[in-house]
Every structure is written in structure tokens, then in C-alpha cells.
Amino acid sequence: MIADRRYAYGDAALADRDWQAALDLFEQTLERVPHWPPAYLALAKAALALGEKDKARAALERVLALDPADHLGAALLLARIGGRPVAEAMPAAYVAALFDDYAPRFDSHLVGQLAYRAPDLLVAALDRHLPGRSFAQVLDLGCGTGLMARALGSRAGRVFGVDLSPRMIAVAAETGLYAGLEAGDLAAFLARQPPAEADLVIAADVFCYLPDIAPAFAAARRTLASGGLLAFTVQTHQGEGVVVGEDCRMHHAPAFVRALAGAAGFTLLAEDDAVSRLDAGRPVPGALFLLAAP
Ligand SMILES: C[S@@+](CC[C@H](N)C(=O)[O-])C[C@H]1O[C@@H](n2cnc3c(N)ncnc32)[C@H](O)[C@@H]1O
């Protein structure tokens, strides 16, 4: 009871940006329950806000020691402060837990409050660059609740979706828009597809959860028929390569995406600036790409 209360007060202090009070309260929580990952993670957040990187790093390492699958995403925060390679920043258990939790309010919150429109932007780009084109077989990577299939509408024939979050998949299933759905990682899903059959592989707001997009590009390329398309959005940044942003998502430099696309054998059909949603009322910088398989 006392630990619960300390933790709740700590949470409230975090929300009030009273970092020192939050840090003290989480330390007091951990004196009573020394093996509780959420309190270490919360302590790390307060310590990071106070600039106490060593304390944050130690707390995050403790989270990982207690929960090696990393449901809370400690590796993501560690990667942000240089304590883990970026490649390890997005554990599957964390992404699945994040979106399982989000699934029931995903559409209303993201579309209603954050002006989410990645699927609409991708469809508008397809219409602009390839007017009148339809796609008999579509692979929807990170399909979530099914907004991408809905946006494609009659442009799509059979749509197959994959998502790490079983609860997102359950919501997508209710739409009746998918010929097949599976809960799992997009890389394993792509690896199981027959070669050179898909007309469109699409990923709306998914690669911001993928630290290494090169294997996904290669796997998508293998599944695509000649002339097929890989269409996706990314969050962008001004620097080079891929970084973990302050919003704890992966941000890709457009030039880096272009280079990876070329290395995977794609032709760049279109690259446009694209704001997929708002964050704290501000547009999130991003881009969309249409890549063609030769
Ligand atoms: C922001 S949502 C976008 C959902 C959907 N594409 C849309 O536009 O509404 C990102 C989705 O990608 C999924 N995801 C992230 N990484 C994934 C991976 N490696 N494999 C499969 N799904 C993944 C998440 O579970 C989540 O449902």
C-alpha cells in the first residue's frame, strides 16, 4: 500500500515536471519493493530529466536485468543516452505491449486527437503518381487496426496484414477488410511469403518502430512482383542515418532511406515531405516514399 502510494505520487510529480520530487518518491518506492521494474523505469525518467545520466543508466540496466524481454522499453531509453546500440532499441515485447494497451482507443485518439493521416497520405501519393492503378495482392506491414486497408478501399484486392500486437490484430479482424491477418513480426511474415507475388507492400507509420529497415527492404523486395511497390512513411531528422528521437521513436534521415532503397534494388518513384500526425500540437516531421521493384 505504502509503495503503491509513493509510486502514484511519483507519477503525479513526473506529470507536474517536478523531477526531483519524482526521483525521491521512486527511490522511496524501491526501498519497499526493490524488484519492481516500473519503479526503476520511472526513476530513470526523472533522473534523465535532471541530467543524472549515470543514475538513469543504472536504473535502466536494473529494469533489463529484472525483465530481459523488456516489456517496458528500457533499451529504448538506454539507446537514447548511448547505453545500448540503436539496433537493440525496439524490443518486440515492448512494441506489442505498447499497442496492446493502445488498441481500444487507437483510432479515436490517433485520428481524432493527433490528426493521424499516414494511410491517407500514402493513398494520395499512390493516386498522384500512379493514377488509376490498383493492387491485386497487398501486404500491410504493422497493419494496426486496419486504417491502411480502409484507406486503400477498392484500389486493393486481397490484403494480408501483420502486426506485433495481438489486440491491434483483433480490431483489424473486425473490419472484415483482410484476406489474412497474423500477429507477429513483419520480418518473419515477409520471409514466409512466396517470392515475386505481391503488388504492394505498405507500411504506414511503422518504420519509426524499426531500428534497422534494411532487412525489411530486402524481404519486401523479394516478395514483390516486377513493377510492384513498397510504400511507407518515416519520421525524419536533419542528421545522418537513424537515431532514437526524444519521442522514443526511430527517426530516419531521408538520404539514408534513399541509400538503403537503392542497395535493396528499388527504384525511387516518389519521395515527399509528409506530416503523419501531431505531437503536443506540433507537426511531426516525416516523409513518404514510393519505391518500385524493377
Ligand atoms: C502507429 S501504428 C500504425 C498502424 C497502421 N499501419 C495505421 O496506419 O493505422 C504502428 C503499428 O506497427 C506495429 N509494429 C511495429 N513494429 C512492428 C514489427 N516489427 N512487426 C510488426 N508490426 C510492428 C505496431 O504494433 C503498431 O500496431
Side-chain angles (χ1 to χ4, degrees):
M1 277 281 282
I2 295 176
D4 267 356
R5 216 169 286 152
R6 291 273 188 281
Y7 183 78
Y9 289 151
D11 239 7
L14 266 191
D16 287 346
R17 304 171 71 85
D18 187 349
W19 314 123
Q20 189 60 56
L23 187 79
D24 294 344
L25 284 157
F26 294 132
E27 280 178 338
Q28 290 165 24
T29 309
L30 286 163
E31 280 167 18
R32 287 173 172 78
V33 280
H35 303 298
W36 197 33
Y40 282 107
L41 187 87
L43 187 151
K45 286 181 183 167
L48 273 181
L50 289 164
E52 295 190 37
K53 267 195 184 179
D54 289 344
K55 188 171 264 190
R57 188 171 293 134
L60 293 168
E61 292 292 357
R62 193 87 184 94
V63 177
L64 282 175
L66 290 165
D67 172 25
D70 196 14
H71 293 82
L72 299 176
L76 187 53
L77 286 179
L78 270 170
R80 248 188 73 201
I81 57 175
R84 273 284 189 288
V86 171
E88 293 170 18
M90 272 305 168
Y94 164 69
V95 176
L98 184 71
F99 284 97
D100 272 351
D101 183 50
Y102 200 14
R105 60 200 162 88
F106 181 83
D107 290 10
S108 59
H109 182 246
L110 201 60
V111 180
Q113 291 175 39
L114 303 184
Y116 177 66
R117 56 195 190 119
D120 291 339
L121 290 175
L122 283 168
V123 167
L126 289 171
D127 285 348
R128 202 164 50 249
H129 293 283
L130 299 159
R133 171 123 177 225
S134 58
F135 305 91
Q137 180 143 323
V138 179
L139 306 180
D140 184 4
L141 308 181
C143 62
T145 57
L147 297 176
M148 192 65 248
R150 192 168 304 152
L152 282 167
S154 60
R155 297 169 191 80
R158 286 155 61 80
V159 186
F160 296 86
V162 60
D163 200 286
L164 271 176
S165 156
R167 289 203 185 142
M168 295 293 262
I169 287 288
V171 180
E174 282 168 19
T175 67
L177 295 172
Y178 289 86
L181 280 166
E182 66 179 65
D185 189 81
L186 63 87
F189 168 81
L190 284 171
R192 278 196 307 278
Q193 302 303 312
E197 271 193 9
D199 303 292
L200 175 64
V201 177
I202 200 155
D205 204 32
V206 178
F207 290 164
C208 52
Y209 300 96
L210 212 59
D212 185 2
I213 54 175
F217 280 13
R221 167 85 180 75
R222 190 190 66 82
T223 66
L224 281 165
S226 176
L229 292 184
L230 173 61
F232 59 89
T233 57
V234 288
Q235 273 187 237
T236 53
H237 71 111
Q238 305 279 335
E240 293 176 5
V242 56
V243 298
V244 181
E246 274 191 22
D247 59 358
C248 283
R249 296 194 187 89
M250 314 310 302
H251 298 189
H252 290 89
F256 179 62
V257 176
R258 246 176 273 134
L260 293 180
F266 284 107
T267 307
L268 182 66
L269 190 65
E271 174 187 343
D272 298 331
D273 288 343
V275 172
S276 291
R277 72 190 141 77
L278 306 176
D279 190 359
R282 282 192 298 275
V284 172
L288 71 77
F289 288 81
L290 303 183
L291 308 179

